Amino acid sequence: MLNGQLVDLKSYAEKQLYGISPGCIGKCDSNPCLNNGTCFEKYDGYTCDCRWTAFKGPICADEIGVNLKANSMIRYDFEGIWRSTISENIRVGFTTTNPKGFLLGLFSNISKEYMTIMVSNSGHLRVVFDFGFERQELIFPDQHFGLGQYHDLRIRRKNSGSTLIMEVDGSDPKEFHFDIKESTDAQFNNIQHLYIGRNSSMTEGFVGCVSRVEFDDIYPLKLLFQQDGPPNVSGMNTTIKEDFCGVEPVTHPPPLIETRPPPVLDENKVKAAYNETNSALIGGIFFIILIVILILAFLVGRYVARHKGDYITQEDRGADIALDPDDAVIHSTTGHQVQKKREWFI
């Protein structure tokens, strides 16, 4: 239904009228919005909603990062009811030439549980956590992470917290399994703080650029740099400025501009409609226009005639035949109206 009327779009498509063709697909079917951005169809395009991503830009591909120094720290405080999780989704991108430092950490002062992600002195990734069942330390030794290249790390848990999956730069994920009894609480309880760069007990932290930070549905760097951001996320000790960490945004080729074909006109119908035009009606219209023009001409002429007349001049009589000003004074018959005044000298 279109504008309250049933429209057979299939017939329009079969005739290929108004830019409609059978088998056409929507713009969002090609998934143009990246990083889990939400795509919305428009009349002649699409738009991406990046609110639930750690990115920004027209297709949710622009990095939101920060260049950290040794004493830099960003803290996000969980407000209200503190969060407890059994299956986390964590992501952080980074680049550094200093192979050591604290990337990301989650802490609870209530349960004393924590999780930290860092680059070790040997340049390997190191994940340490204690969720109440026992302290665990995982190392990703397959490559060196302190050579200035950009890396994208994803960490998540499954199987009621007994399996941790680590994926680096889109490579095959590595799974780490823990022997946890069914009665054991593997939940990360009462998370209060999320730190980036270093935590409050450290004097030196990560040196390099960090971006695309997310913890479940929380994007602390995006909140930090947005206008009028929330008070529970802040940068400390140094001036924190937004950086894209050397990662150029992904772009799509410009979309093809769709044009509608011109309407097909039936010349016979046009001629028939023209011949059926009432010529008497057209003649009557021209006659009325002519009468209006004549009436306007009459009114204008009458107005000009009524305002035509003599006017009074101050020129002396008899001066019109004079050849020069002196001669005009001599031949004047009326004379100048000169008022004589007396002057007194003291």
Side-chain angles (χ1 to χ4, degrees):
M1 182 171 290
L2 184 63
N3 296 330
Q5 296 182 354
L6 292 175
V7 178
D8 187 3
L9 294 179
K10 183 178 180 181
S11 63
Y12 282 117
E14 292 174 349
K15 296 177 182 178
Q16 295 189 357
L17 298 176
Y18 308 108
I20 303 174
S21 59
C24 58
I25 60 174
K27 299 293 184 181
C28 289
D29 287 354
S30 60
N31 297 320
C33 303
L34 305 181
N35 300 299
N36 295 322
T38 305
C39 184
F40 292 97
E41 292 280 357
K42 295 175 62 178
Y43 170 73
D44 56 351
Y46 63 91
T47 182
C48 295
D49 184 356
C50 307
R51 286 179 296 175
W52 304 110
T53 74
F55 297 80
K56 62 180 181 178
I59 58 173
C60 308
D62 294 1
E63 295 284 339
I64 302 176
V66 59
N67 216 333
L68 298 174
K69 298 179 181 179
N71 62 339
S72 301
M73 181 176 70
I74 298 171
R75 189 177 78 179
Y76 176 90
D77 297 325
F78 292 83
E79 294 183 324
I81 300 175
W82 294 308
R83 179 171 299 198
S84 297
T85 61
I86 194 69
S87 176
E88 304 84 15
N89 285 284
I90 301 172
R91 185 180 187 182
V92 57
F94 65 95
T95 176
T96 183
T97 55
N98 187 13
K100 63 178 180 178
F102 175 102
L103 278 174
L104 181 71
L106 296 150
F107 296 90
S108 171
N109 294 325
I110 299 174
S111 64
K112 306 302 180 182
E113 297 175 1
Y114 63 90
M115 180 179 191
T116 60
I117 303 171
M118 62 190 72
V119 179
S120 65
N121 294 338
S122 59
H124 300 144
L125 271 179
R126 182 165 166 255
V127 180
V128 181
F129 63 90
D130 186 349
F131 296 154
F133 52 92
E134 62 180 2
R135 182 180 182 275
Q136 302 288 338
E137 181 173 348
L138 308 176
I139 297 178
F140 193 92
D142 294 356
Q143 62 189 104
H144 197 287
F145 292 91
L147 302 178
Q149 297 176 333
Y150 188 86
H151 299 284
D152 186 7
L153 171 64
R154 298 171 185 258
I155 296 176
R156 65 183 186 274
R157 282 199 301 162
K158 66 178 184 178
N159 298 333
S160 299
S162 62
T163 301
L164 186 142
I165 303 171
M166 188 183 302
E167 181 181 342
V168 179
D169 299 334
S171 60
D172 294 335
K174 289 184 175 294
E175 294 191 0
F176 302 87
H177 303 278
F178 312 105
D179 186 12
I180 301 176
K181 298 179 180 180
E182 293 183 359
S183 59
T184 302
D185 180 15
Q187 184 170 263
F188 191 175
N189 295 298
N190 300 320
I191 306 173
Q192 293 178 280
H193 309 291
L194 183 151
Y195 292 96
I196 301 172
R198 67 181 180 89
N199 60 34
S200 56
S201 64
M202 301 172 64
T203 57
E204 291 187 0
F206 180 81
V207 177
C209 198
V210 178
S211 67
R212 60 181 69 174
V213 177
E214 61 181 78
F215 173 73
D216 291 342
D217 58 348
I218 297 173
Y219 314 98
L221 292 183
K222 192 172 189 178
L223 296 173
L224 177 66
F225 293 115
Q226 76 178 19
Q227 187 176 5
D228 300 326
N232 62 318
V233 57
S234 58
M236 302 179 180
N237 299 328
T238 58
T239 302
I240 303 295
K241 295 183 179 180
E242 186 176 350
D243 198 299
F244 65 97
C245 295
V247 181
E248 295 294 337
V250 179
T251 58
H252 293 323
L256 297 176
I257 300 176
E258 297 183 359
T259 57
R260 294 181 176 182
V264 179
L265 299 178
D266 191 337
E267 295 184 0
N268 294 328
K269 291 183 178 180
V270 174
K271 291 179 180 179
Y274 178 78
N275 293 332
E276 292 176 359
T277 304
N278 193 340
S279 58
L281 178 62
I282 297 177
I285 293 174
F286 278 111
F287 178 75
I288 293 173
I289 294 174
L290 180 60
I291 293 298
V292 171
I293 293 174
L294 292 176
I295 292 173
L296 290 176
F298 172 76
L299 294 176
V300 171
R302 185 176 180 184
Y303 175 82
V304 173
R306 292 184 64 179
H307 287 77
K308 183 178 180 182
D310 297 333
Y311 60 91
I312 299 175
T313 178
Q314 299 297 326
E315 186 178 353
D316 293 335
R317 294 180 181 176
D320 52 345
I321 61 174
L323 299 177
D324 53 55
D326 294 335
D327 195 27
V329 174
I330 296 173
H331 290 84
S332 172
T333 60
T334 58
H336 290 285
Q337 301 296 326
V338 179
Q339 182 179 1
K340 296 182 179 181
K341 295 182 180 180
R342 292 182 179 182
E343 295 182 356
W344 301 89
F345 298 93
I346 300 176

